[in-house]
Amino acid sequence: MKETGAFLEKITLHFEFERYSSLQELPAGDLTLMQEAMKAADDAYAPYSHFYVGAAVLLENGKIVRGNNQENAAYPSGLCAERVALFAAGAQHPGVKITALAVTAYPESRKEPEFPLSPCGDCRQVMAEYEHRYNHKIRLIMQGGHGTYIATECVAQLLPFLFTGDALK
Ligand code: THU
């Protein structure tokens, strides 16, 4: 009799990211984008969480679109910085590929985070949609904790088994 519970194969996924020891160590393009994200964070509307998030989207044509978190007294009505920036890019520059996204955040104290600050699941899903839509990887640059920075080559690897519109065809 065939044994149950025996899997066909065991698969291990490989996840790769780069770590940089400080902001200044980032490659020039990443640094510029991160500085734009920092400016965006300064203008965040976060009167409830006091957690100021900034995002900057780089388009293939070199344009940069900023976004920050926009909160609301009815809490779920607000939106994360990443999605504000991505949707603004999608609305204002339709059809233009997105090549990179930088995200930064700081609490009211402006203390450097001790741990990596990475985008929430909903924002990853939205990023992945643009990656899929334009069939183009989006480089993601974020804080790595203790003043370090992290960059990943694409968003899809942050969402294994990701849901795309292919499933709806
Ligand atoms: N927030 C973002 O803007 N991006 C994220 O990836 C996570 C959280 C915002 C939402 C809310 O305004 C505040 O941070 C606290 O959750």
Side-chain angles (χ1 to χ4, degrees), residues 45-46 49-54 68-72 78-83 103-105 117-121 123 127:
Y45 178 63
S49 72
H50 304 286
F51 189 67
Y52 303 87
V53 189
N68 42 37
N69 51 334
Q70 297 292 317
E71 296 187 349
N72 193 282
L79 198 61
C80 291
E82 297 91 320
R83 274 175 288 164
V103 189
T104 186
L117 279 175
S118 59
C120 78
C123 288
M127 290 172 206

mmCIF file of all heavy atoms in Angstrom, residues 45-46 49-54 68-72 78-83 103-105 117-121 123 127, ligand 1:
data_model
loop_
_atom_site.group_PDB
_atom_site.id
_atom_site.type_symbol
_atom_site.label_atom_id
_atom_site.label_comp_id
_atom_site.label_asym_id
_atom_site.label_seq_id
_atom_site.Cartn_x
_atom_site.Cartn_y
_atom_site.Cartn_z
ATOM 1 N N TYR A 45 1.255 62.472 7.127
ATOM 2 C CA TYR A 45 0.136 62.868 7.985
ATOM 3 C C TYR A 45 -0.165 61.680 8.892
ATOM 4 O O TYR A 45 -0.867 60.744 8.505
ATOM 5 C CB TYR A 45 -1.082 63.239 7.121
ATOM 6 C CG TYR A 45 -2.299 63.602 7.945
ATOM 7 C CD1 TYR A 45 -2.276 64.709 8.799
ATOM 8 C CD2 TYR A 45 -3.457 62.840 7.889
ATOM 9 C CE1 TYR A 45 -3.384 65.045 9.568
ATOM 10 C CE2 TYR A 45 -4.573 63.159 8.650
ATOM 11 C CZ TYR A 45 -4.523 64.261 9.487
ATOM 12 O OH TYR A 45 -5.624 64.578 10.252
ATOM 13 N N ALA A 46 0.444 61.699 10.075
ATOM 14 C CA ALA A 46 0.335 60.557 10.978
ATOM 15 C C ALA A 46 0.018 61.005 12.407
ATOM 16 O O ALA A 46 0.772 60.725 13.343
ATOM 17 C CB ALA A 46 1.630 59.749 10.933
ATOM 18 N N SER A 49 -0.753 57.522 14.798
ATOM 19 C CA SER A 49 0.317 56.570 15.140
ATOM 20 C C SER A 49 1.611 57.297 15.509
ATOM 21 O O SER A 49 2.464 56.733 16.184
ATOM 22 C CB SER A 49 0.599 55.645 13.954
ATOM 23 O OG SER A 49 1.271 56.339 12.916
ATOM 24 N N HIS A 50 1.762 58.529 15.026
ATOM 25 C CA HIS A 50 3.027 59.267 15.184
ATOM 26 C C HIS A 50 4.197 58.469 14.617
ATOM 27 O O HIS A 50 5.321 58.539 15.109
ATOM 28 C CB HIS A 50 3.289 59.636 16.650
ATOM 29 C CG HIS A 50 2.164 60.419 17.246
ATOM 30 N ND1 HIS A 50 1.930 61.735 16.935
ATOM 31 C CD2 HIS A 50 1.176 60.053 18.088
ATOM 32 C CE1 HIS A 50 0.842 62.146 17.569
ATOM 33 N NE2 HIS A 50 0.369 61.148 18.275
ATOM 34 N N PHE A 51 3.913 57.702 13.604
ATOM 35 C CA PHE A 51 4.938 56.910 12.921
ATOM 36 C C PHE A 51 4.973 57.426 11.481
ATOM 37 O O PHE A 51 4.018 57.243 10.723
ATOM 38 C CB PHE A 51 4.544 55.423 12.983
ATOM 39 C CG PHE A 51 5.605 54.488 12.507
ATOM 40 C CD1 PHE A 51 6.792 54.330 13.202
ATOM 41 C CD2 PHE A 51 5.415 53.724 11.354
ATOM 42 C CE1 PHE A 51 7.768 53.450 12.765
ATOM 43 C CE2 PHE A 51 6.388 52.846 10.909
ATOM 44 C CZ PHE A 51 7.568 52.711 11.618
ATOM 45 N N TYR A 52 6.056 58.086 11.143
ATOM 46 C CA TYR A 52 6.119 58.849 9.881
ATOM 47 C C TYR A 52 6.844 58.028 8.812
ATOM 48 O O TYR A 52 8.027 57.722 8.955
ATOM 49 C CB TYR A 52 6.814 60.188 10.124
ATOM 50 C CG TYR A 52 6.086 60.973 11.203
ATOM 51 C CD1 TYR A 52 6.385 60.795 12.552
ATOM 52 C CD2 TYR A 52 5.050 61.833 10.859
ATOM 53 C CE1 TYR A 52 5.681 61.472 13.540
ATOM 54 C CE2 TYR A 52 4.346 62.516 11.835
ATOM 55 C CZ TYR A 52 4.670 62.320 13.175
ATOM 56 O OH TYR A 52 3.952 62.981 14.139
ATOM 57 N N VAL A 53 6.111 57.680 7.787
ATOM 58 C CA VAL A 53 6.671 56.818 6.749
ATOM 59 C C VAL A 53 6.764 57.594 5.439
ATOM 60 O O VAL A 53 5.849 58.337 5.077
ATOM 61 C CB VAL A 53 5.794 55.551 6.541
ATOM 62 C CG1 VAL A 53 6.506 54.555 5.622
ATOM 63 C CG2 VAL A 53 5.453 54.894 7.868
ATOM 64 N N GLY A 54 7.882 57.426 4.750
ATOM 65 C CA GLY A 54 8.070 58.087 3.449
ATOM 66 C C GLY A 54 8.472 57.054 2.411
ATOM 67 O O GLY A 54 9.190 56.092 2.719
ATOM 68 N N ASN A 68 3.656 59.431 1.268
ATOM 69 C CA ASN A 68 3.824 59.251 2.709
ATOM 70 C C ASN A 68 2.519 58.736 3.301
ATOM 71 O O ASN A 68 1.488 58.773 2.628
ATOM 72 C CB ASN A 68 4.279 60.555 3.380
ATOM 73 C CG ASN A 68 3.527 61.739 2.838
ATOM 74 O OD1 ASN A 68 2.334 61.634 2.551
ATOM 75 N ND2 ASN A 68 4.183 62.870 2.663
ATOM 76 N N ASN A 69 2.579 58.238 4.542
ATOM 77 C CA ASN A 69 1.335 57.684 5.082
ATOM 78 C C ASN A 69 0.328 58.790 5.382
ATOM 79 O O ASN A 69 0.681 59.864 5.866
ATOM 80 C CB ASN A 69 1.576 56.765 6.294
ATOM 81 C CG ASN A 69 2.430 57.341 7.378
ATOM 82 O OD1 ASN A 69 3.254 58.215 7.147
ATOM 83 N ND2 ASN A 69 2.250 56.851 8.585
ATOM 84 N N GLN A 70 -0.903 58.501 5.040
ATOM 85 C CA GLN A 70 -2.017 59.432 5.200
ATOM 86 C C GLN A 70 -3.027 58.753 6.106
ATOM 87 O O GLN A 70 -3.716 57.826 5.687
ATOM 88 C CB GLN A 70 -2.639 59.744 3.827
ATOM 89 C CG GLN A 70 -1.692 60.437 2.856
ATOM 90 C CD GLN A 70 -1.334 61.858 3.288
ATOM 91 O OE1 GLN A 70 -2.199 62.615 3.717
ATOM 92 N NE2 GLN A 70 -0.069 62.209 3.174
ATOM 93 N N GLU A 71 -3.064 59.206 7.362
ATOM 94 C CA GLU A 71 -3.947 58.546 8.323
ATOM 95 C C GLU A 71 -5.324 59.201 8.362
ATOM 96 O O GLU A 71 -5.545 60.268 7.762
ATOM 97 C CB GLU A 71 -3.275 58.543 9.702
ATOM 98 C CG GLU A 71 -1.994 57.715 9.677
ATOM 99 C CD GLU A 71 -1.349 57.508 11.033
ATOM 100 O OE1 GLU A 71 -1.759 58.175 12.021
ATOM 101 O OE2 GLU A 71 -0.425 56.673 11.103
ATOM 102 N N ASN A 72 -6.238 58.537 9.049
ATOM 103 C CA ASN A 72 -7.611 59.011 9.120
ATOM 104 C C ASN A 72 -8.178 58.671 10.493
ATOM 105 O O ASN A 72 -7.825 57.632 11.064
ATOM 106 C CB ASN A 72 -8.433 58.326 8.012
ATOM 107 C CG ASN A 72 -9.777 58.980 7.821
ATOM 108 O OD1 ASN A 72 -10.709 58.766 8.595
ATOM 109 N ND2 ASN A 72 -9.878 59.780 6.783
ATOM 110 N N GLY A 78 -7.112 55.168 6.320
ATOM 111 C CA GLY A 78 -5.813 55.729 5.936
ATOM 112 C C GLY A 78 -5.086 54.794 4.977
ATOM 113 O O GLY A 78 -5.562 53.705 4.652
ATOM 114 N N LEU A 79 -3.923 55.265 4.496
ATOM 115 C CA LEU A 79 -3.153 54.437 3.564
ATOM 116 C C LEU A 79 -1.652 54.557 3.839
ATOM 117 O O LEU A 79 -1.169 55.619 4.234
ATOM 118 C CB LEU A 79 -3.462 54.867 2.122
ATOM 119 C CG LEU A 79 -3.088 53.874 1.018
ATOM 120 C CD1 LEU A 79 -3.841 52.551 1.174
ATOM 121 C CD2 LEU A 79 -3.379 54.459 -0.358
ATOM 122 N N CYS A 80 -0.948 53.468 3.605
ATOM 123 C CA CYS A 80 0.506 53.422 3.801
ATOM 124 C C CYS A 80 1.218 54.284 2.761
ATOM 125 O O CYS A 80 0.733 54.460 1.639
ATOM 126 C CB CYS A 80 1.022 52.001 3.643
ATOM 127 S SG CYS A 80 0.527 50.862 4.927
ATOM 128 N N ALA A 81 2.409 54.723 3.126
ATOM 129 C CA ALA A 81 3.244 55.565 2.255
ATOM 130 C C ALA A 81 3.540 54.900 0.916
ATOM 131 O O ALA A 81 3.488 55.532 -0.143
ATOM 132 C CB ALA A 81 4.554 55.867 2.970
ATOM 133 N N GLU A 82 3.853 53.613 0.964
ATOM 134 C CA GLU A 82 4.238 52.902 -0.266
ATOM 135 C C GLU A 82 3.105 52.927 -1.281
ATOM 136 O O GLU A 82 3.314 53.169 -2.468
ATOM 137 C CB GLU A 82 4.592 51.438 0.046
ATOM 138 C CG GLU A 82 5.790 51.265 0.951
ATOM 139 C CD GLU A 82 5.408 51.205 2.424
ATOM 140 O OE1 GLU A 82 4.516 51.973 2.850
ATOM 141 O OE2 GLU A 82 6.006 50.409 3.151
ATOM 142 N N ARG A 83 1.877 52.658 -0.785
ATOM 143 C CA ARG A 83 0.755 52.629 -1.722
ATOM 144 C C ARG A 83 0.377 54.028 -2.191
ATOM 145 O O ARG A 83 -0.033 54.203 -3.336
ATOM 146 C CB ARG A 83 -0.442 51.888 -1.110
ATOM 147 C CG ARG A 83 -0.357 50.389 -1.342
ATOM 148 C CD ARG A 83 -1.447 49.646 -0.638
ATOM 149 N NE ARG A 83 -1.230 49.619 0.810
ATOM 150 C CZ ARG A 83 -2.162 49.299 1.691
ATOM 151 N NH1 ARG A 83 -3.381 49.008 1.299
ATOM 152 N NH2 ARG A 83 -1.863 49.266 2.980
ATOM 153 N N VAL A 103 11.922 53.100 0.945
ATOM 154 C CA VAL A 103 10.979 53.306 2.051
ATOM 155 C C VAL A 103 11.755 53.617 3.316
ATOM 156 O O VAL A 103 12.756 52.966 3.617
ATOM 157 C CB VAL A 103 10.127 52.033 2.321
ATOM 158 C CG1 VAL A 103 9.015 52.354 3.308
ATOM 159 C CG2 VAL A 103 9.559 51.447 1.051
ATOM 160 N N THR A 104 11.275 54.599 4.060
ATOM 161 C CA THR A 104 11.914 54.921 5.331
ATOM 162 C C THR A 104 10.833 55.312 6.333
ATOM 163 O O THR A 104 9.735 55.691 5.949
ATOM 164 C CB THR A 104 12.942 56.060 5.165
ATOM 165 O OG1 THR A 104 13.638 56.236 6.393
ATOM 166 C CG2 THR A 104 12.288 57.377 4.778
ATOM 167 N N ALA A 105 11.143 55.188 7.603
ATOM 168 C CA ALA A 105 10.159 55.548 8.617
ATOM 169 C C ALA A 105 10.877 55.933 9.897
ATOM 170 O O ALA A 105 11.983 55.474 10.160
ATOM 171 C CB ALA A 105 9.236 54.367 8.892
ATOM 172 N N LEU A 117 12.940 47.839 8.890
ATOM 173 C CA LEU A 117 11.591 48.348 8.651
ATOM 174 C C LEU A 117 11.205 47.984 7.230
ATOM 175 O O LEU A 117 11.715 48.555 6.269
ATOM 176 C CB LEU A 117 11.563 49.872 8.817
ATOM 177 C CG LEU A 117 11.482 50.376 10.251
ATOM 178 C CD1 LEU A 117 11.579 51.889 10.273
ATOM 179 C CD2 LEU A 117 10.216 49.912 10.926
ATOM 180 N N SER A 118 10.326 47.015 7.117
ATOM 181 C CA SER A 118 9.971 46.550 5.778
ATOM 182 C C SER A 118 8.472 46.735 5.536
ATOM 183 O O SER A 118 7.686 46.772 6.475
ATOM 184 C CB SER A 118 10.394 45.099 5.605
ATOM 185 O OG SER A 118 9.770 44.296 6.572
ATOM 186 N N PRO A 119 8.095 46.850 4.278
ATOM 187 C CA PRO A 119 6.699 47.146 3.932
ATOM 188 C C PRO A 119 5.719 46.061 4.376
ATOM 189 O O PRO A 119 6.069 44.875 4.415
ATOM 190 C CB PRO A 119 6.722 47.226 2.403
ATOM 191 C CG PRO A 119 8.132 47.404 2.039
ATOM 192 C CD PRO A 119 8.947 46.765 3.093
ATOM 193 N N CYS A 120 4.511 46.490 4.673
ATOM 194 C CA CYS A 120 3.476 45.545 5.113
ATOM 195 C C CYS A 120 3.045 44.651 3.947
ATOM 196 O O CYS A 120 3.364 44.924 2.780
ATOM 197 C CB CYS A 120 2.272 46.294 5.686
ATOM 198 S SG CYS A 120 1.182 47.003 4.437
ATOM 199 N N GLY A 121 2.318 43.621 4.251
ATOM 200 C CA GLY A 121 1.893 42.649 3.235
ATOM 201 C C GLY A 121 1.053 43.253 2.134
ATOM 202 O O GLY A 121 1.224 42.922 0.956
ATOM 203 N N CYS A 123 1.114 46.303 1.007
ATOM 204 C CA CYS A 123 1.971 47.109 0.125
ATOM 205 C C CYS A 123 2.821 46.211 -0.765
ATOM 206 O O CYS A 123 3.048 46.509 -1.935
ATOM 207 C CB CYS A 123 2.848 48.054 0.938
ATOM 208 S SG CYS A 123 1.897 49.405 1.667
ATOM 209 N N MET A 127 3.001 46.341 -4.766
ATOM 210 C CA MET A 127 4.288 46.433 -5.491
ATOM 211 C C MET A 127 4.395 45.305 -6.504
ATOM 212 O O MET A 127 4.806 45.504 -7.648
ATOM 213 C CB MET A 127 5.472 46.292 -4.516
ATOM 214 C CG MET A 127 5.654 47.449 -3.598
ATOM 215 S SD MET A 127 6.931 46.984 -2.395
ATOM 216 C CE MET A 127 6.456 48.033 -1.062
HETATM 217 N N1 THU B 1 2.704 52.283 7.482
HETATM 218 C C1 THU B 1 3.196 52.589 6.239
HETATM 219 O O1 THU B 1 3.019 53.716 5.739
HETATM 220 N N2 THU B 1 3.876 51.627 5.561
HETATM 221 C C2 THU B 1 4.087 50.358 6.024
HETATM 222 O O2 THU B 1 4.650 49.530 5.323
HETATM 223 C C3 THU B 1 3.640 49.992 7.361
HETATM 224 C C4 THU B 1 2.867 51.000 8.109
HETATM 225 C C5 THU B 1 1.955 53.323 8.201
HETATM 226 C C6 THU B 1 0.490 53.044 8.348
HETATM 227 C C7 THU B 1 0.159 53.852 9.571
HETATM 228 O O3 THU B 1 -0.101 55.193 9.156
HETATM 229 C C8 THU B 1 1.434 53.859 10.390
HETATM 230 O O4 THU B 1 2.465 53.452 9.507
HETATM 231 C C9 THU B 1 1.405 52.905 11.564
HETATM 232 O O5 THU B 1 1.063 51.633 11.185
#
